[in-house]
Amino acid sequence: MCKSILVFHFLFAFHSNYGSILHYLRDKGKAFDTINHLILFQKLRQLTITIPPNVLLWTINFLSGRTQAVSSFGQISGWLPVSRSIKQGSGIGPYLYLVYASDLRTLSPHNVIIKYADDTTLLVGQHSSVDIIREYDNIK
């Protein structure tokens, strides 16, 4: 609901200032499965807010040391380490994804990107110096 209100706010502001608006919505399916743990840990350490060491360690332990196997037609593969993904349905998952995608920015300071978990909304004014195709290529 909050994301909808935020998008509405920006749509109204854009319409008032730029006339026509190009609006792109993206729900990145399987986004949580693409998160590289080492990159995420690096971004968590570089946050401008200080994360208590025990919370950072808990987060690293939460994601580390997991393995998975595949079962098909009664056969089970060998167990392999999981170095990507966040557990689906975990309460902390959407927040970790936001940290992972936090450096996602628009090319033009006049365009707006709104992120909520793995949903991305891109707003580009009609007379923007950077068109929606270049902005899309930048965030995909």
Side-chain angles (χ1 to χ4, degrees), residues 5 14 27 29 49 63 65 73 79 82 88 91 96 109 111 120:
I5 293 169
F14 261 64
D27 179 4
I49 61 167
L63 295 173
F73 300 107
W79 290 90
V82 175
Q88 297 295 318
L96 293 175
N111 298 336
T120 303

Side-chain angles (χ1 to χ4, degrees), residues 28-44:
K28 188 172 182 186
K30 304 286 184 184
F32 286 27
D33 294 338
T34 65
I35 295 178
N36 180 301
H37 292 169
L38 294 177
I39 294 171
L40 175 62
F41 299 155
Q42 197 172 41
K43 288 183 178 189
L44 284 169

Side-chain angles (χ1 to χ4, degrees), residues 105-125:
R105 304 269 189 268
T106 58
L107 296 171
S108 168
H110 302 291
N111 298 336
V112 174
I113 188 167
I114 302 167
K115 297 172 276 192
Y116 178 75
D118 59 345
D119 296 333
T120 303
T121 300
L122 176 62
L123 302 174
V124 177

Side-chain angles (χ1 to χ4, degrees), residues 5 30 38 50 55 62 70 79 90 126 128 133 140:
I5 293 169
K30 304 286 184 184
L38 294 177
T50 303
V55 173
F62 175 72
V70 176
W79 290 90
S90 65
Q126 177 183 12
S128 172
I133 294 170
K140 73 174 164 176

